[in-house]
Amino acid sequence: MDTAAKPLPFSLRANPRLSTWLAFDPAGQVRVRSGKVEIGQGIRTALAQIAAEELEVTFARIAMVPPRTAVSPDEAVTSGSLSIQHSGEALRHVCAQVRAVYVAHVAAAHGLPVASVHVEDGVFLHGPDRLGSYWDMDPTLLDRPADVDVLPKASSAYREVGLSRARDDIAEKVYGRYRYIHDMEMPGLLHGRMLRPPSPAARLLELGDTEVAAWPGVVSVPRDGTLVGVIAAQEHIAERALARLASLAVWEEPATLPDDKALPAWLKTLPCDTSRLRNAPAAGATDGVRTLRAAYSRPFLKHASIGPSCALARDDGARLEVWTHSQAIYNLRRDLALALRRPEDDVVIEHVQGAGCYGHNGADDVAYDAAWLATHCPGQPVRVQWTRADELNWSPLGPAMAVELEADVDADGHVLAWRHEAWSPGHGLRPGRAPSPTLLGSWHLATPFPKLDAVDAPRAVGGGMDRNAEPGYAFASVDVACHLVRDVPLRASALRALGAHANVFAIESFMDELALAANVHPRDYRLSHIDDPRMEAVLRAAWQASDHDGAHAGAGGNADAGASAGPTTDESVRGRGCGVARYKGTGAYCAVVAHVEVDDQVRLRALHIAVDVGLAINPDGVRQQIEGGALQAASWTLQEAAHFDATRLLDGDWESYPIMRFSQVPTVNVEILNHVDAPPLGAGEAALGPTAAAIANAVADALGVRVRDMPLTPDRIMQAMEDGDIDAG
C-alpha cells in the first residue's frame, strides 16, 4: 500500500487527539475506543486486528471499549459500509503514531537511535535488551494531536491484518448465551411500555387511565398528548397494564395512506425536489438506431429486526444516562437534549448491542421512550421493551422507489445514451441532523415537534435515493434525474444499502433486457460496456464459479453452451442470472450469479458471489457480511413488502410479514479477490443490489418473462406473463 504522506483520515480529522482513541491498561491490555458501534457486523474484530497490527501487540491484548459519549470519539453514524474506511483508517494512523511516540521516547531516554528500538508484543527492545513496555509509559505523552507526517506500516509488513480471526460473539449467539441490551439488569429496575396509536395519523380522544394507575405495582401512567406510557415494578404488570390501556383508549383515525398496490404511480403524484446528473450534453444522445425503455419498482420495506427495540434510562435530575443499541450515540444525544429540553452535556449515551439492525430501526425511538419515562421516576432505571408489532409497524420503513430507464442503442445493441429517472422519499431521518428531533415520541406530544420529511445525504458521501443511480458502465452519455418526494404519510428512513438496492436492481435488470434484445450473452454484453478492470474481474469470477456448479446450472439465455438445461421436474424450470456493481461508485465491487428453480414459486438454489473490498482486513468477516447482505436482499426481492390499508400498517407479527425462512436459504459461495495494496473498503452493503438483480434475471431466464416490480411473487409473475416484455421505441 502506498505510504506517502496524505491528509489524516476522515474520523481522525474530527477527533485528532491520540488519547481519545486508546489507553494502556496496567494489566497488559490495550483499551481501544472507536465511535463505530457493533451491530452484528463484526467490526470490533476487524478494528482490533488493525490496532494490534500497528501497535505490534498480540490480538489477544486488544480490548474494544463499548462506545460512550464524552469518552469515545464522535464518529457520527455507523452506516454506509464506512466503518473500516473511517474508523479503521483512523485507528491505523493513531496506533502507528502511538507506537512512534513511545519508541522515540524510549530511544531518547536510553540515548539510542530511534531505528535501533523495536516493539514485540508491546515490549520495547534494543536487540535482546528490554527497555520497557507500553504499560510502563507516561499516558500524558498521548495528549497530543495526530501528526500527518507519521505513517503506518506498509502492507507488505502485515502479520495480523489479513488473517481470518474468529469473532468472540458468534459461539455465544449461536448457543443463546450472548447478553444483548434486552438482558441488561440493574438494581431497582422498573419496566416501561408505550401505548402506540393504531395508525400513523391517529389522535387520542379518550384514555381511561385512572383505573390502570391504581393497580398494585403500577408506578405511573404518564401522558403528554398522544404519547402515553406505563411504568411498573415488574415486567408482566407493565404488559398487562398496557393491554388494558389499549382496550380503554379511543382514537380518531383519518385515512391518509396510499394504495400499497399502486406505489409507483402514487410516488409520481407527490411534490418533489429534483436533482440531475449528466456526464454528456443531452444533444447527441439521441442518435441511436433504437430506443428501449422499462420501469422498475420496490415497495416500502420493514426493517424486521430480529429483536424488538429496547433501551434503558436513568435520570437523577442532573444527569440522564441512556443505554441503547442506536447506530449513532452522539447524534441521539443531540436529539434527546432537544426533545427533553435539557443541556446536551447532561445526557450520557452508552452503546449496548441489540439483536438485529439493518439501518434506522426503532433503537433511537425506544431510547427516547425510556428517557421520557425515566423523567417521571427520578433516580430509578427504566427499561422499555417494544413489542413485535411496535417494531414491525413503528420503526421507520425502507422507502418505496420507482425507477424508469431508457437506452439508445446502435445496430449492434451497444448503448449510446442512458437515461435514469427515479422517484422516492428520502432515505435519511436519523437523529442529530435537523434543527428539531426526528424521534417518534417527540412527534406525539401535546405540543409536538414538527414531523419531518426524510432527506438524502449529499452524493459526495454516498447519497440516498441516488445511491448507485449512476451506472458503473462506460456509456458515452448518461442522464440521471432523481425526484425526492415530500409529504409522505409514512415514516421512512435508511434501510441497508439505501437507494442502491432498487437502482442496481433496475440497472442490472435493464442490462439483461438490452442483452436479450441484442442477442448477446448477458455476461459478454456487460463486459463490452465495462472499462474498470476490477469490475470486470468480479464479474468473470462469479460467472466462472457459477459455471462450475453443475448441480444448479441454468437454462435459457443465461446458460453457456454445454450447461445442463431444461426442467428439473415435470413442473419446474431452471434459470441463471447475474448482477454487478461497485457500491456507491466508490466502494466495494460485487458480482452475483443466482440459480433459481421456478414452479408455483421461485426457489433460490444458489448464489455465487465475487467481491473486491481492496485489502480484506478479516476475510472471514468479509464473507459473513457479503453472505448476510445477499440473503437479506433475496428476502426483499422475493417476498418482503410492507402492507397497509387506508389508515393502518398491517403485518405486525412474523406470521403475517413475509420474510425468508431458514428452509429457503440457498447455497452461498463467496470468493474474495483480495488487493493487499489497495485501500480497504466496506463489505456490509455491497451485495444487496447485485443479488436483487441476479435473482430477477434468473427468473426471467427460467420463464422467458420479466418481473420488474419487487417482490417477485407468483402473482407478479403471472401479471408479467400477461403484460409482455421490454417496450421498444
Side-chain angles (χ1 to χ4, degrees):
M1 185 178 295
D2 181 13
T3 56
K6 298 176 181 177
L8 289 173
F10 177 81
S11 287
L12 193 51
R13 294 198 298 271
N15 306 272
R17 190 158 295 274
L18 299 181
S19 57
T20 301
W21 293 86
L22 57 80
F24 295 94
D25 189 305
Q29 282 192 319
V30 186
R31 296 180 61 80
V32 175
R33 293 184 287 268
S34 165
K36 298 296 185 180
V37 303
E38 178 65 55
I39 49 177
Q41 81 279 43
I43 193 62
R44 292 195 315 171
T45 303
L47 295 179
Q49 288 182 262
I50 291 170
E53 183 70 70
E54 293 296 338
L55 289 170
E56 296 282 10
V57 301
T58 58
F59 177 79
R61 290 194 183 275
I62 303 296
M64 299 300 298
V65 179
R68 182 178 174 87
T69 56
V71 175
S72 304
D74 182 355
E75 293 195 81
V77 184
T78 303
S79 63
S81 296
L82 289 170
S83 293
I84 287 294
Q85 290 165 261
H86 286 177
S87 200
E89 284 299 286
L91 276 171
R92 183 170 173 257
H93 281 255
V94 165
C95 293
Q97 294 190 30
V98 168
R99 172 167 47 87
V101 166
Y102 280 152
V103 165
H105 178 76
V106 168
H110 291 84
L112 298 169
V114 169
S116 70
V117 178
H118 66 284
V119 185
E120 289 186 12
D121 196 18
V123 176
F124 303 108
L125 299 172
H126 176 247
D129 299 329
R130 187 183 192 281
L131 306 179
S133 73
Y134 285 129
W135 300 276
D136 304 326
M137 296 293 104
D138 179 1
T140 63
L141 290 173
L142 303 186
D143 288 332
R144 65 175 73 193
D147 184 348
V148 70
D149 294 324
V150 179
L151 299 176
K153 295 163 65 173
S155 58
S156 58
Y158 285 166
R159 293 180 294 179
E160 174 63 42
V161 165
L163 297 180
S164 286
R165 285 283 183 187
R167 287 166 47 180
D168 60 6
D169 59 340
I170 292 294
E172 288 188 319
K173 288 176 177 177
V174 169
Y175 291 107
R177 297 192 297 260
Y178 191 85
R179 295 190 64 79
Y180 292 100
I181 190 169
H182 310 74
D183 304 307
M184 280 189 67
E185 297 179 3
M186 292 181 177
L189 185 66
L190 300 176
H191 296 273
R193 292 291 187 273
M194 302 302 296
L195 179 66
R196 292 291 171 217
S199 56
R203 185 171 66 90
L204 184 59
L205 301 179
E206 298 178 24
L207 182 59
D209 55 328
T210 305
E211 172 198 328
V212 175
W215 284 11
V218 171
V219 176
S220 179
V221 183
R223 177 184 177 183
D224 187 343
T226 299
L227 185 65
V228 179
V230 60
I231 308 169
Q234 294 178 290
E235 190 167 14
H236 72 278
I237 297 175
E239 291 177 351
R240 285 178 49 220
L242 178 66
R244 182 57 177 162
L245 283 173
S247 71
L248 296 171
V250 178
W251 302 88
E252 177 185 62
E253 294 187 76
T256 61
L257 304 184
D259 181 354
D260 64 6
K261 298 178 180 60
L263 294 176
W266 170 73
L267 287 171
K268 297 171 189 177
T269 68
L270 297 175
C272 66
D273 300 313
T274 299
S275 60
R276 203 168 207 100
L277 169 71
R278 284 195 181 105
N279 77 347
T286 57
D287 297 334
V289 172
R290 191 179 180 203
T291 298
L292 299 100
R293 58 183 62 87
Y296 307 85
S297 74
R298 85 162 190 179
F300 286 100
L301 294 169
K302 299 189 179 185
H303 278 77
S305 295
I306 296 171
S309 293
C310 180
L312 292 83
R314 179 171 52 208
D315 183 12
D316 64 8
R319 184 170 73 166
L320 170 65
E321 294 180 277
V322 180
W323 291 265
T324 173
H325 52 111
S326 169
Q327 290 177 257
I329 58 174
Y330 277 94
N331 288 23
L332 173 60
R333 184 177 72 165
R334 294 184 196 108
D335 262 23
L336 284 178
L338 282 170
L340 299 172
R341 295 181 170 87
R342 60 196 301 168
E344 194 173 314
D345 290 344
D346 291 354
V347 182
V348 178
I349 313 287
E350 181 169 330
H351 182 267
V352 184
Q353 192 175 162
C357 180
Y358 321 111
H360 181 189
N361 67 354
D364 300 295
D365 299 319
V366 76
Y368 172 81
D369 295 341
W372 180 71
L373 290 179
T375 64
H376 293 85
C377 48
Q380 291 186 271
V382 179
R383 175 185 178 274
V384 178
Q385 170 74 65
W386 274 18
T387 66
R388 173 62 59 197
D390 289 341
E391 188 66 38
L392 285 171
N393 287 341
W394 284 102
S395 291
L397 299 173
M401 289 186 65
V403 179
E404 294 184 356
L405 298 178
E406 286 187 354
D408 300 331
V409 299
D410 63 18
D412 295 323
H414 197 81
V415 175
L416 300 173
W418 179 279
R419 292 176 291 281
H420 183 124
E421 194 165 12
W423 293 261
S424 174
H427 288 247
L429 197 62
R430 293 186 185 274
R433 296 173 172 174
S436 65
T438 66
L439 303 169
L440 176 66
S442 73
W443 294 0
H444 290 161
L445 298 169
T447 305
F449 288 92
K451 293 184 179 181
L452 303 175
D453 280 321
V455 297
D456 274 344
R459 184 182 294 271
V461 293
M465 70 169 295
D466 55 350
R467 185 167 294 184
N468 279 97
E470 187 177 7
Y473 295 99
F475 299 145
S477 173
V478 172
D479 186 353
V480 177
C482 292
H483 308 287
L484 182 68
V485 301
R486 295 181 275 108
D487 300 342
V488 178
L490 292 153
R491 185 166 172 255
S493 189
L495 182 63
R496 197 175 190 180
L498 280 67
H501 174 241
N503 284 323
V504 176
F505 165 77
I507 291 168
E508 289 297 291
S509 294
F510 197 44
M511 286 295 286
D512 250 45
E513 299 200 55
L514 296 176
L516 179 65
N519 196 29
V520 177
H521 190 285
R523 176 200 57 214
D524 299 335
Y525 188 80
R526 286 171 171 80
L527 290 173
S528 71
H529 291 87
I530 291 174
D531 65 358
D532 185 330
R534 293 172 71 177
M535 181 175 284
E536 177 182 342
V538 294
L539 180 58
R540 290 187 182 277
W543 269 103
Q544 185 175 13
S546 171
D547 285 341
H548 292 159
D549 185 0
H552 297 113
N558 288 359
D560 286 319
S564 173
T568 58
T569 71
D570 290 338
E571 295 155 351
S572 67
V573 290
R574 288 177 176 169
R576 176 164 56 161
C578 76
V580 62
R582 185 179 189 189
Y583 185 53
K584 296 189 283 190
T586 57
Y589 298 84
C590 184
V592 180
V593 176
H595 297 267
V596 301
E597 288 180 13
V598 186
D599 42 38
D600 60 330
Q601 61 182 296
V602 178
R603 304 178 192 277
L604 180 59
R605 295 308 190 194
L607 294 172
H608 294 281
I609 306 174
V611 62
D612 174 355
V613 296
L615 170 67
I617 304 298
N618 183 336
D620 193 44
V622 171
R623 290 187 185 93
Q624 291 170 5
Q625 284 295 282
I626 292 297
E627 181 175 341
L631 292 178
Q632 185 165 36
S635 185
W636 292 350
T637 305
L638 291 173
Q639 300 187 39
E640 293 189 45
H643 298 119
F644 37 87
D645 58 24
T647 57
R648 297 185 177 187
L649 276 88
L650 309 174
D651 306 332
D653 53 52
W654 287 133
E655 286 69 34
S656 56
Y657 185 69
I659 194 168
M660 179 179 281
R661 308 290 177 173
F662 280 111
S663 61
Q664 298 169 311
V665 171
T667 300
V668 182
N669 171 65
V670 179
E671 180 181 352
I672 300 172
L673 279 59
N674 202 8
H675 290 263
V676 296
D677 292 324
L681 303 168
E685 298 170 323
L688 281 94
T691 299
I695 293 170
N697 290 332
V699 171
D701 180 47
L703 297 177
V705 298
R706 172 68 53 177
V707 183
R708 300 188 182 98
D709 301 296
M710 293 185 279
L712 279 60
T713 60
D715 287 346
R716 287 242 167 92
I717 292 172
M718 292 300 296
Q719 186 64 49
M721 289 179 174
E722 296 176 9
D723 290 346
D725 280 329
I726 192 166
D727 176 20

